[in-house]
Amino acid sequence: MKVAFCTQDMKRVDAHFGWAKNIAIYEVSPDGAHFAEAIQFDGDLEEDGNEDKLAPKLEAIKDCAILYVAAIGGSGAARVVANKIHPIKVQEPEAIDAILVKLQGVLKGTPPPWLRKVLEKGQEKTFDFDEDEVEQNA
């Protein structure tokens, strides 16, 4: 699964979603994590009420299952959730590497229900119907 981190320094989750200069994206599995890409943003990122600044960020993280932030506004959170991305707010700046290790540990064990749901993002739901049953009920 892909996980996005809002960061100013590319080392820690230390940025508000709307104000983040960088979003680092990692591919994470129970067996490891590797850096996938970094997306940089510029312009007037600190202007409150400027919802247009969120569109490129939402586009950048559209394939991600989880978004780690230092903070996120109500409308930003609503838009992230509407894109089936689970936002997680850290209480204080936290090293991305440390978060990745914790996340891998959770994936190796029994992930909580919210994470199991997140892991299903992007997977096609398959239904195993017996063709005879479908024809009989038709």
Side-chain angles (χ1 to χ4, degrees):
M1 85 176 145
K2 287 186 178 179
V3 180
F5 299 89
C6 290
T7 178
Q8 302 296 52
D9 64 6
M10 295 299 294
K11 293 177 175 51
R12 300 174 302 150
V13 175
D14 62 355
H16 183 289
F17 179 58
W19 305 344
K21 288 188 170 90
N22 304 294
I23 295 180
I25 298 177
Y26 285 76
E27 194 69 53
V28 183
S29 73
D31 303 321
H34 69 271
F35 176 75
E37 65 179 315
I39 297 116
Q40 294 184 320
F41 302 92
D42 53 15
D44 190 6
L45 299 174
E46 295 187 24
E47 183 181 331
D48 280 337
N50 179 6
E51 298 300 315
D52 291 342
K53 70 183 174 194
L54 298 180
K57 291 183 177 176
L58 290 164
E59 178 64 24
I61 65 170
K62 70 179 181 208
D63 294 335
C64 295
I66 301 173
L67 169 68
Y68 281 88
V69 298
I72 188 166
S75 67
R79 291 172 72 181
V80 167
V81 170
N83 281 283
K84 296 185 171 61
I85 301 165
H86 189 85
I88 297 178
K89 183 179 168 189
V90 298
Q91 295 304 313
E92 55 188 54
E94 190 170 348
I96 292 171
D97 290 343
I99 293 171
L100 289 169
V101 168
K102 282 191 239 175
L103 192 51
Q104 285 175 263
V106 171
L107 291 174
K108 284 181 185 174
T110 305
W114 71 265
L115 185 53
R116 286 196 298 268
K117 188 174 181 179
V118 163
L119 291 170
E120 293 171 5
K121 179 179 178 174
Q123 294 180 358
E124 290 296 318
K125 291 198 179 353
T126 58
F127 299 97
D128 190 17
F129 290 117
D130 196 351
E131 286 183 33
D132 293 337
E133 289 178 25
V134 174
E135 289 174 13
Q136 290 173 1
N137 294 331

